[in-house]
Amino acid sequence: MSRLPAVARTLPSLRRALDDLRTRRATIALVPTMGALHEGHLALVRQAKRRAAKVVVSIFVNPTQFAPHEDFGSYPRTWKSDMAKLAAERADLVWNPGVDVMYPPNFATRISPEGPATADLEDRFRPHFFGGVATVVGKLFTQCRPDIAVFGQKDYQQLKVVTRMAADLDLGVKIVGVPTVRERDGLAMSSRNVYLSPEQRAVAPTLHRVMKETARRLRNGDDLKAVMTSGSRTIQDAGFALDYFEARHAETLAPVASIEDGPLRLLVAAKIGTTRLIDNIGV
Ligand code: AMP
């Protein structure tokens, strides 16, 4: 069995561990996660290993990006198996602060991202989400001072928000995006997939199937509005409560009228039962 990565839970121990890793100017990659690790997260760790000498993985379920009615309390926490997986990938350090370390009493500062964070996609349904993400990612970057940070395209709008923030605030961190890792039937891997009943799990790949079919029809020259409407209907007919299914400009996330306005990205968010799934693909 591989050796478990070092673990830091306080800022002084993080600083000591980072000093050890940085000997001989080793480059450091950070992979921010909320734990409950799956193959999608591990693809980020592998990309990080390829691009930097040392890899730090943060595991922190960030309360400020959950609304009160969301699943902060029940979010899956699987520390032991996370550590075994990170040992197998030979991650160097796990940063696992408590909520009191990340947000000590009297904490009163929040990063308020705009641009891609106000594209009227996730932000329409989770208005506090990107403020919470930007604040915690800003803190993780300041705490870990990585050369690069690796994020999944699975959370496409989030990837754009973090990329914008790193540039706008001159954080000196290169943001790397990694393609979405999927189950064999196309369902995007997600820590929240464990919430799905067998029946819901069987229906869940509809999202990816509809996106692929929509992308094919758009490339064929079919009318964008008609194709999006028909895709939305298929998703709803499968039993989803649809938050959005949209075609946007892949870089700016601006609305588009036709494939000529591209490159395009299709983005979807929908609830099956109480579980909310998001996904996206390029056209
Ligand atoms: P999370 O733990 O859900 O906050 O995700 C941590 C990071 O893993 C984020 O950058 C996600 O975009 C990324 N991620 C989550 N699921 C996948 C996946 N299926 N494929 C690639 N990256 C993913």
Side-chain angles (χ1 to χ4, degrees), residues 236-257:
Q236 286 164 318
D237 288 349
F240 285 94
L242 185 61
D243 280 354
Y244 58 84
F245 176 44
E246 297 215 20
R248 294 293 184 95
H249 189 279
E251 288 313 315
T252 64
L253 299 182
V256 289

Side-chain angles (χ1 to χ4, degrees), residues 31-41 43-44 65 75 150-156 158 178-182 188-192:
V31 181
T33 82
M34 299 204 298
L37 302 182
H38 50 64
E39 275 298 317
H41 298 113
L44 307 192
Q65 69 192 62
Y75 194 84
V150 185
F151 291 83
Q153 291 180 355
K154 158 78 171 30
D155 301 274
Y156 194 77
Q158 169 177 284
V178 171
T180 302
V181 178
R182 300 179 179 282
M189 290 194 184
S190 163
S191 306
R192 289 189 169 99

Side-chain angles (χ1 to χ4, degrees), residues 21-33:
L21 293 186
R22 269 207 198 92
T23 51
R24 282 180 280 138
R25 296 172 188 246
T27 52
I28 291 185
L30 173 68
V31 181
T33 82

Side-chain angles (χ1 to χ4, degrees), residues 39-96:
E39 275 298 317
H41 298 113
L42 301 184
L44 307 192
V45 175
R46 284 173 208 138
Q47 183 62 242
K49 290 273 315 174
R50 278 197 286 277
R51 288 177 178 256
K54 303 288 178 185
V55 173
V56 179
V57 177
S58 61
I59 297 184
F60 179 64
V61 185
N62 177 35
T64 66
Q65 69 192 62
F66 289 79
H69 66 276
E70 291 178 348
D71 57 343
F72 175 72
S74 58
Y75 194 84
R77 288 160 171 89
T78 57
W79 176 258
K80 270 201 163 163
S81 86
D82 290 354
M83 285 300 282
K85 289 171 185 170
L86 294 177
E89 298 302 330
R90 307 213 274 143
D92 297 284
L93 173 64
V94 175
W95 170 223
N96 179 228

Side-chain angles (χ1 to χ4, degrees), residues 136-182:
V136 80
V137 170
K139 287 193 58 124
L140 290 168
F141 286 3
T142 314
Q143 293 161 345
C144 300
R145 302 221 156 274
D147 301 281
I148 74 164
V150 185
F151 291 83
Q153 291 180 355
K154 158 78 171 30
D155 301 274
Y156 194 77
Q157 191 180 2
Q158 169 177 284
L159 174 61
K160 297 294 169 201
V161 170
V162 169
T163 303
R164 186 75 260 149
M165 176 181 77
D168 288 351
L169 300 184
D170 305 315
L171 298 180
V173 181
K174 180 182 165 54
I175 308 298
V176 174
V178 171
T180 302
V181 178
R182 300 179 179 282

